[in-house]
Amino acid sequence: MTTRQKIGVIGGGQLAWMMAIAAKSLGLELTVQATSPDDSAVDMADRVVYGKVDDAEATAQLAEYCQVITFENEFVDIAALQAMLDRQVDGNLLFLPNLETLKISVDKLNQRQHFHDHGIPTPQFYAVDNQSDLLAAAEQLGYPLVLKARRHGYDGKGTWVVDNEIELRSAWQSMQQLPAIAEAFIPFERELAVIAARSESGDVVIYPVVETIQIHQVCRRTIAPARISPAVRAKVETIAQQVVNTLDAIGVFGIEFFLTATGEVSVNEIAPRTHNSGHYTIEGCQTSQFEQLLHIVSGHPLGDIGMLAPVAVMVNLLGFEEASGVDADYLAKREAIANFPKTYLHWYGKKSSSVGRKLGHVTILAESHDVALDLSDRIESIWYGA
């Protein structure tokens, strides 16, 4: 397999920042396409090209420095990237994951249709392109139902759980009547997630299944391994293998699941990139999700995913106010958290805070779930208040 030394990533946020740290440990050269000098990854990357994520001209400039380009987020202009591929003469431009995989995974309707076509369990869904579609879907699904923008949703943005037609129409207006999907609400008992990695040769590794705790549709905690039965764990791993294989996915993918009280598992969403639910792997696993992505795109074998402690819990440090100069505002809280044993704090260096914005995270390694969760409670109490 051909190995590559020069890696590009579209996006300059905290995921690219953690990737840049991993690249240095692996001796790889990383160039990022960042929106502004304030982006988290700018100071850590070997080189920076400036341009919005969907700026194909900036990506063309990025390509001049790289042997392969990967992605920090899904907000890219796939049509423009495809045009770049179509125009190339030497055939050296390589995107991983490939654009065919991205076309499915960045669009929630395409995701759902792919799952349906391949027998992958997923909520019942309907495409919504106009008000007639919206009301017809509601008639079929009943309430509550979930309305989602097909693209550009994250951390609860672009997603509404609605209980009646008034709320449904309001949500539709809030999303400016953009293309959407309406789907059945799953009365889940727990939300699960997994990081799946697949190489160019088709080798797959599935990281430990984790449990995610969501507050207002934003992840607050990840618990690894999840407190689930071996049978449920096996279901999740089997489905994750099916997802990445049917997508011909090359890279690292975050896959989110619903688990019902009766033990049924269904796929909620996938992300064609490193994922918040996998941040615990930096300290918690032999090979972090960021190192794993770099292994894959550089053409090296997959790394060992074994855990380095019986339990790892990640706590997101979210903004709880609109503020600038967050380094100073949150310093005392960070210093208090850093004093906990076997606790690792990652601060993303963002220049401003907003409610729910991911400013950093903490990973706790422990011998048991009880110990890890007790420390997590204490950390959350410091950060968010009692």
Side-chain angles (χ1 to χ4, degrees), residues 17 20 23 41 84 103 113 137 208 211 225 233 272 275 280 285 326 373:
W17 174 68
M84 287 177 58
K103 286 173 187 175
Q113 193 62 55
E211 179 181 352
R233 184 175 299 110
H275 193 258
Y280 77 94
C285 293
V326 294
L373 292 172

PDB file of all heavy atoms in Angstrom, residues 17 20 23 41 84 103 113 137 208 211 225 233 272 275 280 285 326 373:
ATOM      1  N   TRP A  17      -7.590  20.408  15.231  1.00  0.00           N
ATOM      2  CA  TRP A  17      -6.564  20.676  16.243  1.00  0.00           C
ATOM      3  C   TRP A  17      -6.060  19.376  16.861  1.00  0.00           C
ATOM      4  O   TRP A  17      -4.846  19.155  16.962  1.00  0.00           O
ATOM      5  CB  TRP A  17      -7.151  21.596  17.311  1.00  0.00           C
ATOM      6  CG  TRP A  17      -6.270  21.855  18.497  1.00  0.00           C
ATOM      7  CD1 TRP A  17      -5.090  22.563  18.517  1.00  0.00           C
ATOM      8  CD2 TRP A  17      -6.504  21.430  19.841  1.00  0.00           C
ATOM      9  NE1 TRP A  17      -4.581  22.595  19.806  1.00  0.00           N
ATOM     10  CE2 TRP A  17      -5.427  21.911  20.625  1.00  0.00           C
ATOM     11  CE3 TRP A  17      -7.514  20.699  20.462  1.00  0.00           C
ATOM     12  CZ2 TRP A  17      -5.341  21.676  21.997  1.00  0.00           C
ATOM     13  CZ3 TRP A  17      -7.432  20.465  21.827  1.00  0.00           C
ATOM     14  CH2 TRP A  17      -6.352  20.949  22.585  1.00  0.00           C
ATOM     15  N   ALA A  20      -4.043  17.535  14.373  1.00  0.00           N
ATOM     16  CA  ALA A  20      -2.707  18.109  14.206  1.00  0.00           C
ATOM     17  C   ALA A  20      -1.765  17.637  15.306  1.00  0.00           C
ATOM     18  O   ALA A  20      -0.574  17.369  15.055  1.00  0.00           O
ATOM     19  CB  ALA A  20      -2.794  19.638  14.188  1.00  0.00           C
ATOM     20  N   ALA A  23      -0.853  14.187  14.404  1.00  0.00           N
ATOM     21  CA  ALA A  23       0.049  14.154  13.252  1.00  0.00           C
ATOM     22  C   ALA A  23       1.491  14.361  13.679  1.00  0.00           C
ATOM     23  O   ALA A  23       2.412  13.716  13.153  1.00  0.00           O
ATOM     24  CB  ALA A  23      -0.376  15.207  12.232  1.00  0.00           C
ATOM     25  N   ALA A  41      -7.104  24.973  15.229  1.00  0.00           N
ATOM     26  CA  ALA A  41      -6.003  24.193  14.663  1.00  0.00           C
ATOM     27  C   ALA A  41      -4.881  25.027  14.077  1.00  0.00           C
ATOM     28  O   ALA A  41      -3.811  24.494  13.760  1.00  0.00           O
ATOM     29  CB  ALA A  41      -6.547  23.253  13.582  1.00  0.00           C
ATOM     30  N   MET A  84     -13.559  19.500  -9.124  1.00  0.00           N
ATOM     31  CA  MET A  84     -12.096  19.486  -9.018  1.00  0.00           C
ATOM     32  C   MET A  84     -11.537  18.152  -9.476  1.00  0.00           C
ATOM     33  O   MET A  84     -10.549  18.089 -10.227  1.00  0.00           O
ATOM     34  CB  MET A  84     -11.667  19.761  -7.573  1.00  0.00           C
ATOM     35  CG  MET A  84     -11.826  21.181  -7.102  1.00  0.00           C
ATOM     36  SD  MET A  84     -11.378  21.354  -5.344  1.00  0.00           S
ATOM     37  CE  MET A  84      -9.681  20.751  -5.360  1.00  0.00           C
ATOM     38  N   LYS A 103     -21.410  11.884  -0.333  1.00  0.00           N
ATOM     39  CA  LYS A 103     -22.716  12.264  -0.891  1.00  0.00           C
ATOM     40  C   LYS A 103     -23.851  11.601  -0.119  1.00  0.00           C
ATOM     41  O   LYS A 103     -24.936  12.165   0.031  1.00  0.00           O
ATOM     42  CB  LYS A 103     -22.794  11.870  -2.367  1.00  0.00           C
ATOM     43  CG  LYS A 103     -21.974  12.752  -3.285  1.00  0.00           C
ATOM     44  CD  LYS A 103     -21.960  12.214  -4.709  1.00  0.00           C
ATOM     45  CE  LYS A 103     -21.006  13.007  -5.591  1.00  0.00           C
ATOM     46  NZ  LYS A 103     -20.892  12.417  -6.954  1.00  0.00           N
ATOM     47  N   GLN A 113     -32.112   6.651   3.321  1.00  0.00           N
ATOM     48  CA  GLN A 113     -32.430   5.819   2.168  1.00  0.00           C
ATOM     49  C   GLN A 113     -31.409   4.697   2.018  1.00  0.00           C
ATOM     50  O   GLN A 113     -31.765   3.550   1.698  1.00  0.00           O
ATOM     51  CB  GLN A 113     -32.470   6.663   0.894  1.00  0.00           C
ATOM     52  CG  GLN A 113     -33.088   5.939  -0.294  1.00  0.00           C
ATOM     53  CD  GLN A 113     -34.545   5.554  -0.049  1.00  0.00           C
ATOM     54  OE1 GLN A 113     -35.375   6.408   0.266  1.00  0.00           O
ATOM     55  NE2 GLN A 113     -34.846   4.267  -0.169  1.00  0.00           N
ATOM     56  N   ALA A 137     -46.435  13.583   5.878  1.00  0.00           N
ATOM     57  CA  ALA A 137     -45.548  12.806   6.744  1.00  0.00           C
ATOM     58  C   ALA A 137     -46.092  12.746   8.161  1.00  0.00           C
ATOM     59  O   ALA A 137     -46.085  11.689   8.805  1.00  0.00           O
ATOM     60  CB  ALA A 137     -44.152  13.420   6.733  1.00  0.00           C
ATOM     61  N   PRO A 208     -14.799   0.471  21.278  1.00  0.00           N
ATOM     62  CA  PRO A 208     -15.826   0.094  22.260  1.00  0.00           C
ATOM     63  C   PRO A 208     -17.118   0.888  22.087  1.00  0.00           C
ATOM     64  O   PRO A 208     -17.087   2.095  21.800  1.00  0.00           O
ATOM     65  CB  PRO A 208     -15.151   0.418  23.600  1.00  0.00           C
ATOM     66  CG  PRO A 208     -13.683   0.280  23.324  1.00  0.00           C
ATOM     67  CD  PRO A 208     -13.499   0.764  21.921  1.00  0.00           C
ATOM     68  N   GLU A 211     -21.892   4.905  25.688  1.00  0.00           N
ATOM     69  CA  GLU A 211     -23.179   5.515  25.997  1.00  0.00           C
ATOM     70  C   GLU A 211     -22.993   7.027  26.006  1.00  0.00           C
ATOM     71  O   GLU A 211     -22.021   7.536  26.569  1.00  0.00           O
ATOM     72  CB  GLU A 211     -23.650   5.039  27.363  1.00  0.00           C
ATOM     73  CG  GLU A 211     -24.970   5.615  27.839  1.00  0.00           C
ATOM     74  CD  GLU A 211     -25.359   5.107  29.212  1.00  0.00           C
ATOM     75  OE1 GLU A 211     -24.688   4.190  29.722  1.00  0.00           O
ATOM     76  OE2 GLU A 211     -26.335   5.647  29.769  1.00  0.00           O
ATOM     77  N   PRO A 225     -16.660   1.598  28.549  1.00  0.00           N
ATOM     78  CA  PRO A 225     -17.655   1.062  27.612  1.00  0.00           C
ATOM     79  C   PRO A 225     -19.071   1.326  28.123  1.00  0.00           C
ATOM     80  O   PRO A 225     -19.274   1.608  29.310  1.00  0.00           O
ATOM     81  CB  PRO A 225     -17.339  -0.443  27.614  1.00  0.00           C
ATOM     82  CG  PRO A 225     -16.777  -0.703  28.983  1.00  0.00           C
ATOM     83  CD  PRO A 225     -16.009   0.535  29.338  1.00  0.00           C
ATOM     84  N   ARG A 233     -24.384  -5.107  22.682  1.00  0.00           N
ATOM     85  CA  ARG A 233     -23.073  -4.711  22.148  1.00  0.00           C
ATOM     86  C   ARG A 233     -22.814  -5.390  20.810  1.00  0.00           C
ATOM     87  O   ARG A 233     -22.347  -4.751  19.850  1.00  0.00           O
ATOM     88  CB  ARG A 233     -21.974  -5.081  23.147  1.00  0.00           C
ATOM     89  CG  ARG A 233     -20.582  -4.624  22.742  1.00  0.00           C
ATOM     90  CD  ARG A 233     -19.557  -4.910  23.825  1.00  0.00           C
ATOM     91  NE  ARG A 233     -19.893  -4.206  25.052  1.00  0.00           N
ATOM     92  CZ  ARG A 233     -20.325  -4.798  26.171  1.00  0.00           C
ATOM     93  NH1 ARG A 233     -20.488  -6.111  26.218  1.00  0.00           N
ATOM     94  NH2 ARG A 233     -20.600  -4.077  27.230  1.00  0.00           N
ATOM     95  N   PRO A 272     -19.144  11.340   8.831  1.00  0.00           N
ATOM     96  CA  PRO A 272     -18.011  10.798   8.071  1.00  0.00           C
ATOM     97  C   PRO A 272     -16.674  11.394   8.499  1.00  0.00           C
ATOM     98  O   PRO A 272     -15.895  11.885   7.686  1.00  0.00           O
ATOM     99  CB  PRO A 272     -18.365  11.195   6.635  1.00  0.00           C
ATOM    100  CG  PRO A 272     -19.081  12.502   6.793  1.00  0.00           C
ATOM    101  CD  PRO A 272     -19.862  12.390   8.078  1.00  0.00           C
ATOM    102  N   HIS A 275     -15.321  12.065  15.760  1.00  0.00           N
ATOM    103  CA  HIS A 275     -16.609  12.399  16.373  1.00  0.00           C
ATOM    104  C   HIS A 275     -16.435  12.641  17.859  1.00  0.00           C
ATOM    105  O   HIS A 275     -15.580  12.039  18.515  1.00  0.00           O
ATOM    106  CB  HIS A 275     -17.573  11.222  16.134  1.00  0.00           C
ATOM    107  CG  HIS A 275     -18.998  11.520  16.422  1.00  0.00           C
ATOM    108  ND1 HIS A 275     -19.618  11.094  17.578  1.00  0.00           N
ATOM    109  CD2 HIS A 275     -19.943  12.171  15.696  1.00  0.00           C
ATOM    110  CE1 HIS A 275     -20.892  11.473  17.547  1.00  0.00           C
ATOM    111  NE2 HIS A 275     -21.109  12.137  16.428  1.00  0.00           N
ATOM    112  N   TYR A 280     -12.705  10.297  24.044  1.00  0.00           N
ATOM    113  CA  TYR A 280     -12.126   9.524  25.149  1.00  0.00           C
ATOM    114  C   TYR A 280     -10.961   8.658  24.679  1.00  0.00           C
ATOM    115  O   TYR A 280     -10.112   8.239  25.478  1.00  0.00           O
ATOM    116  CB  TYR A 280     -13.197   8.632  25.802  1.00  0.00           C
ATOM    117  CG  TYR A 280     -13.505   7.400  24.988  1.00  0.00           C
ATOM    118  CD1 TYR A 280     -12.855   6.201  25.247  1.00  0.00           C
ATOM    119  CD2 TYR A 280     -14.409   7.435  23.935  1.00  0.00           C
ATOM    120  CE1 TYR A 280     -13.106   5.065  24.478  1.00  0.00           C
ATOM    121  CE2 TYR A 280     -14.664   6.330  23.162  1.00  0.00           C
ATOM    122  CZ  TYR A 280     -14.012   5.141  23.442  1.00  0.00           C
ATOM    123  OH  TYR A 280     -14.245   4.035  22.678  1.00  0.00           O
ATOM    124  N   CYS A 285      -7.541   4.784  24.760  1.00  0.00           N
ATOM    125  CA  CYS A 285      -7.267   3.658  23.862  1.00  0.00           C
ATOM    126  C   CYS A 285      -5.822   3.699  23.358  1.00  0.00           C
ATOM    127  O   CYS A 285      -5.182   4.743  23.343  1.00  0.00           O
ATOM    128  CB  CYS A 285      -8.220   3.681  22.664  1.00  0.00           C
ATOM    129  SG  CYS A 285      -9.948   3.377  23.096  1.00  0.00           S
ATOM    130  N   VAL A 326     -12.712  33.914  26.682  1.00  0.00           N
ATOM    131  CA  VAL A 326     -13.124  32.793  27.538  1.00  0.00           C
ATOM    132  C   VAL A 326     -11.956  32.151  28.261  1.00  0.00           C
ATOM    133  O   VAL A 326     -12.145  31.497  29.283  1.00  0.00           O
ATOM    134  CB  VAL A 326     -13.892  31.729  26.720  1.00  0.00           C
ATOM    135  CG1 VAL A 326     -15.204  32.284  26.227  1.00  0.00           C
ATOM    136  CG2 VAL A 326     -13.046  31.229  25.562  1.00  0.00           C
ATOM    137  N   LEU A 373     -17.878   7.859  37.153  1.00  0.00           N
ATOM    138  CA  LEU A 373     -19.081   8.687  37.123  1.00  0.00           C
ATOM    139  C   LEU A 373     -19.145   9.635  38.322  1.00  0.00           C
ATOM    140  O   LEU A 373     -19.662  10.744  38.220  1.00  0.00           O
ATOM    141  CB  LEU A 373     -20.320   7.801  37.058  1.00  0.00           C
ATOM    142  CG  LEU A 373     -20.456   7.033  35.731  1.00  0.00           C
ATOM    143  CD1 LEU A 373     -21.602   6.033  35.804  1.00  0.00           C
ATOM    144  CD2 LEU A 373     -20.662   7.992  34.566  1.00  0.00           C
TER     145      LEU A 373
END
